[in-house]
Amino acid sequence: MTRFLFRAVLLVAVGLGLAVWRGDLVVPDRWNPWAPLDVTAEPDFLTPFRLGRLQRDGDLCRAALATSDLAWTPLPDRPSDVGCGLTDAVRLTDAGPDFGEPLTATCRLAVAWALFERHELQPAARAEMGAEVTRVGHYGTHVCRNIAGSARRSEHATANALDIASLTLADGRTVSVRQHWDDDGARGRFLRRVRDGACRYFDVVLGPDYNAAHADHFHVDMGRFSTCR
């Protein structure tokens, strides 16, 4: 009986989902999984699904990025015989906090950053440090290389990853992953909130708790796997 009820509920859910997808059933965007992703909207349980859809649709991804406050220009696709090409990439000239230089990133990475910066990074900075983040110290997004100690290409090879080393606040204080991860005070709490918040939007988040290679930065990417460590 329980199995029958489960299957019945599942069939109804699938049927309703198809009706919404076809447009036969109109629901508010908040409850519509296929509604365009709006970076400014408060994230909800459908946000990961909408973010995942962007990987397969460059136009949809750029439409989502257009709802953010970031300044960007699309880049042409660049095939590569060695696994270091660009697909649906953008050039970020203003990513909110100052990165010191324009960044090349996949559109989906840029959207994830916009969501994270707006809904996690800045609220955490205000709550724990009393000031917003104005500058990000980083090790870049795009470099043609393998994962350290591996024969597999890094997500950095396709501009699908970012390494965050430090965060500078509006009052001039800098919070460093290397120096403050184990801090028992506000800096440590802030960094741990940053790591946890990043896991809500990026597919992979690796920091000092992962291994010694990440002792001085958070690696975030939009790759094929899902890890938060």
Side-chain angles (χ1 to χ4, degrees):
M1 186 66 176
T2 301
R3 182 177 298 178
F4 172 78
L5 287 174
F6 173 78
R7 289 177 177 175
V9 171
L10 181 61
L11 286 173
V12 170
V14 170
L16 289 173
L18 287 174
V20 172
W21 177 69
R22 291 195 304 261
D24 298 333
L25 177 63
V26 179
V27 299
D29 282 352
R30 179 174 177 81
W31 303 106
N32 183 355
W34 291 277
L37 175 61
D38 183 350
V39 168
T40 64
E42 190 66 24
D44 56 29
F45 72 101
L46 289 174
T47 301
F49 176 80
R50 292 177 180 139
L51 186 57
R53 291 181 64 211
L54 307 185
Q55 186 173 12
R56 301 178 294 276
D57 191 328
D59 290 337
L60 190 65
C61 186
R62 287 183 287 273
L65 192 55
T67 67
S68 75
D69 295 329
L70 307 188
W72 56 279
T73 55
L75 294 174
D77 289 352
R78 190 183 72 189
S80 170
D81 293 333
V82 295
C84 294
L86 295 177
T87 302
D88 289 330
V90 299
R91 185 171 178 82
L92 293 174
T93 54
D94 183 353
D98 181 21
F99 275 77
E101 60 185 7
L103 293 180
T104 297
T106 61
C107 177
R108 191 161 170 255
L109 179 69
V111 172
W113 168 262
L115 286 164
F116 163 70
E117 189 266 338
R118 183 184 185 93
H119 300 290
E120 301 292 341
L121 177 63
Q122 299 297 9
R126 291 191 294 266
E128 300 294 347
M129 304 301 297
E132 291 198 344
V133 174
T134 56
R135 184 176 179 86
V136 177
H138 63 94
Y139 300 142
T141 56
H142 189 211
V143 55
C144 186
R145 64 172 175 83
N146 291 349
I147 297 172
S150 168
R152 184 162 59 87
R153 283 300 192 198
S154 166
E155 293 297 325
H156 285 285
T158 54
N160 204 30
L162 169 67
D163 289 340
I164 302 168
S166 64
L167 300 162
T168 299
L169 306 170
D171 58 13
R173 289 174 295 166
T174 295
V175 182
S176 161
V177 176
R178 178 180 289 280
Q179 295 178 16
H180 301 121
W181 177 251
D182 292 323
D183 187 277
D184 291 331
R187 288 179 173 86
R189 291 196 305 270
F190 173 48
L191 287 175
R192 288 185 283 277
R193 282 189 60 169
V194 168
R195 191 275 310 277
D196 294 345
C199 294
R200 298 187 177 97
Y201 303 103
F202 299 99
D203 289 341
V204 169
V205 178
L206 303 176
D209 285 348
Y210 179 58
N211 62 17
H214 294 83
D216 63 348
H217 70 279
F218 297 132
H219 167 96
V220 298
D221 73 48
M222 299 301 287
R224 294 169 292 175
F225 305 102
S226 180
T227 303
C228 175
R229 296 179 65 181

PDB file of all heavy atoms in Angstrom, residues 102-114:
ATOM      1  N   PRO A 102      40.415  42.193 -14.718  1.00  0.00           N
ATOM      2  CA  PRO A 102      39.282  41.459 -15.306  1.00  0.00           C
ATOM      3  C   PRO A 102      39.529  39.960 -15.223  1.00  0.00           C
ATOM      4  O   PRO A 102      40.670  39.494 -15.281  1.00  0.00           O
ATOM      5  CB  PRO A 102      39.273  41.946 -16.770  1.00  0.00           C
ATOM      6  CG  PRO A 102      39.991  43.250 -16.739  1.00  0.00           C
ATOM      7  CD  PRO A 102      41.048  43.111 -15.694  1.00  0.00           C
ATOM      8  N   LEU A 103      38.455  39.210 -15.061  1.00  0.00           N
ATOM      9  CA  LEU A 103      38.550  37.760 -14.931  1.00  0.00           C
ATOM     10  C   LEU A 103      37.835  37.083 -16.095  1.00  0.00           C
ATOM     11  O   LEU A 103      36.762  37.514 -16.517  1.00  0.00           O
ATOM     12  CB  LEU A 103      37.906  37.282 -13.629  1.00  0.00           C
ATOM     13  CG  LEU A 103      38.574  37.673 -12.314  1.00  0.00           C
ATOM     14  CD1 LEU A 103      37.762  37.094 -11.156  1.00  0.00           C
ATOM     15  CD2 LEU A 103      40.007  37.179 -12.255  1.00  0.00           C
ATOM     16  N   THR A 104      38.422  36.005 -16.589  1.00  0.00           N
ATOM     17  CA  THR A 104      37.759  35.137 -17.549  1.00  0.00           C
ATOM     18  C   THR A 104      37.131  33.985 -16.781  1.00  0.00           C
ATOM     19  O   THR A 104      37.802  33.327 -15.984  1.00  0.00           O
ATOM     20  CB  THR A 104      38.761  34.590 -18.585  1.00  0.00           C
ATOM     21  OG1 THR A 104      39.298  35.683 -19.329  1.00  0.00           O
ATOM     22  CG2 THR A 104      38.072  33.627 -19.555  1.00  0.00           C
ATOM     23  N   ALA A 105      35.844  33.755 -17.006  1.00  0.00           N
ATOM     24  CA  ALA A 105      35.136  32.708 -16.267  1.00  0.00           C
ATOM     25  C   ALA A 105      34.018  32.142 -17.122  1.00  0.00           C
ATOM     26  O   ALA A 105      33.467  32.838 -17.986  1.00  0.00           O
ATOM     27  CB  ALA A 105      34.539  33.269 -14.971  1.00  0.00           C
ATOM     28  N   THR A 106      33.707  30.875 -16.907  1.00  0.00           N
ATOM     29  CA  THR A 106      32.506  30.344 -17.545  1.00  0.00           C
ATOM     30  C   THR A 106      31.310  31.143 -17.044  1.00  0.00           C
ATOM     31  O   THR A 106      31.307  31.641 -15.920  1.00  0.00           O
ATOM     32  CB  THR A 106      32.295  28.860 -17.225  1.00  0.00           C
ATOM     33  OG1 THR A 106      32.136  28.704 -15.805  1.00  0.00           O
ATOM     34  CG2 THR A 106      33.458  28.006 -17.721  1.00  0.00           C
ATOM     35  N   CYS A 107      30.301  31.227 -17.869  1.00  0.00           N
ATOM     36  CA  CYS A 107      29.103  31.973 -17.467  1.00  0.00           C
ATOM     37  C   CYS A 107      28.525  31.406 -16.181  1.00  0.00           C
ATOM     38  O   CYS A 107      28.129  32.160 -15.281  1.00  0.00           O
ATOM     39  CB  CYS A 107      28.073  31.919 -18.604  1.00  0.00           C
ATOM     40  SG  CYS A 107      26.515  32.735 -18.207  1.00  0.00           S
ATOM     41  N   ARG A 108      28.493  30.096 -16.065  1.00  0.00           N
ATOM     42  CA  ARG A 108      27.886  29.475 -14.883  1.00  0.00           C
ATOM     43  C   ARG A 108      28.695  29.791 -13.622  1.00  0.00           C
ATOM     44  O   ARG A 108      28.121  29.993 -12.550  1.00  0.00           O
ATOM     45  CB  ARG A 108      27.772  27.970 -15.100  1.00  0.00           C
ATOM     46  CG  ARG A 108      26.925  27.250 -14.059  1.00  0.00           C
ATOM     47  CD  ARG A 108      26.462  25.897 -14.573  1.00  0.00           C
ATOM     48  NE  ARG A 108      25.853  25.106 -13.525  1.00  0.00           N
ATOM     49  CZ  ARG A 108      26.429  24.083 -12.922  1.00  0.00           C
ATOM     50  NH1 ARG A 108      27.659  23.718 -13.272  1.00  0.00           N
ATOM     51  NH2 ARG A 108      25.814  23.407 -11.986  1.00  0.00           N
ATOM     52  N   LEU A 109      30.007  29.822 -13.723  1.00  0.00           N
ATOM     53  CA  LEU A 109      30.830  30.211 -12.577  1.00  0.00           C
ATOM     54  C   LEU A 109      30.535  31.656 -12.185  1.00  0.00           C
ATOM     55  O   LEU A 109      30.443  31.978 -10.992  1.00  0.00           O
ATOM     56  CB  LEU A 109      32.314  30.048 -12.912  1.00  0.00           C
ATOM     57  CG  LEU A 109      33.302  30.441 -11.805  1.00  0.00           C
ATOM     58  CD1 LEU A 109      33.224  29.458 -10.643  1.00  0.00           C
ATOM     59  CD2 LEU A 109      34.732  30.501 -12.354  1.00  0.00           C
ATOM     60  N   ALA A 110      30.368  32.527 -13.187  1.00  0.00           N
ATOM     61  CA  ALA A 110      30.071  33.933 -12.913  1.00  0.00           C
ATOM     62  C   ALA A 110      28.719  34.081 -12.222  1.00  0.00           C
ATOM     63  O   ALA A 110      28.575  34.881 -11.288  1.00  0.00           O
ATOM     64  CB  ALA A 110      30.100  34.735 -14.208  1.00  0.00           C
ATOM     65  N   VAL A 111      27.712  33.316 -12.656  1.00  0.00           N
ATOM     66  CA  VAL A 111      26.402  33.381 -12.015  1.00  0.00           C
ATOM     67  C   VAL A 111      26.487  32.876 -10.579  1.00  0.00           C
ATOM     68  O   VAL A 111      25.915  33.468  -9.653  1.00  0.00           O
ATOM     69  CB  VAL A 111      25.355  32.572 -12.809  1.00  0.00           C
ATOM     70  CG1 VAL A 111      24.047  32.476 -12.038  1.00  0.00           C
ATOM     71  CG2 VAL A 111      25.107  33.217 -14.173  1.00  0.00           C
ATOM     72  N   ALA A 112      27.203  31.776 -10.372  1.00  0.00           N
ATOM     73  CA  ALA A 112      27.365  31.246  -9.013  1.00  0.00           C
ATOM     74  C   ALA A 112      28.055  32.273  -8.115  1.00  0.00           C
ATOM     75  O   ALA A 112      27.672  32.447  -6.952  1.00  0.00           O
ATOM     76  CB  ALA A 112      28.163  29.945  -9.048  1.00  0.00           C
ATOM     77  N   TRP A 113      29.071  32.953  -8.651  1.00  0.00           N
ATOM     78  CA  TRP A 113      29.744  33.993  -7.874  1.00  0.00           C
ATOM     79  C   TRP A 113      28.763  35.115  -7.526  1.00  0.00           C
ATOM     80  O   TRP A 113      28.734  35.592  -6.386  1.00  0.00           O
ATOM     81  CB  TRP A 113      30.939  34.573  -8.630  1.00  0.00           C
ATOM     82  CG  TRP A 113      31.439  35.819  -7.952  1.00  0.00           C
ATOM     83  CD1 TRP A 113      31.156  37.118  -8.286  1.00  0.00           C
ATOM     84  CD2 TRP A 113      32.236  35.885  -6.761  1.00  0.00           C
ATOM     85  NE1 TRP A 113      31.740  37.986  -7.396  1.00  0.00           N
ATOM     86  CE2 TRP A 113      32.406  37.257  -6.456  1.00  0.00           C
ATOM     87  CE3 TRP A 113      32.825  34.921  -5.945  1.00  0.00           C
ATOM     88  CZ2 TRP A 113      33.143  37.682  -5.353  1.00  0.00           C
ATOM     89  CZ3 TRP A 113      33.564  35.347  -4.841  1.00  0.00           C
ATOM     90  CH2 TRP A 113      33.723  36.708  -4.563  1.00  0.00           C
ATOM     91  N   ALA A 114      27.953  35.548  -8.499  1.00  0.00           N
ATOM     92  CA  ALA A 114      27.005  36.634  -8.254  1.00  0.00           C
ATOM     93  C   ALA A 114      26.022  36.263  -7.149  1.00  0.00           C
ATOM     94  O   ALA A 114      25.719  37.074  -6.270  1.00  0.00           O
ATOM     95  CB  ALA A 114      26.262  36.979  -9.547  1.00  0.00           C
TER      96      ALA A 114
END
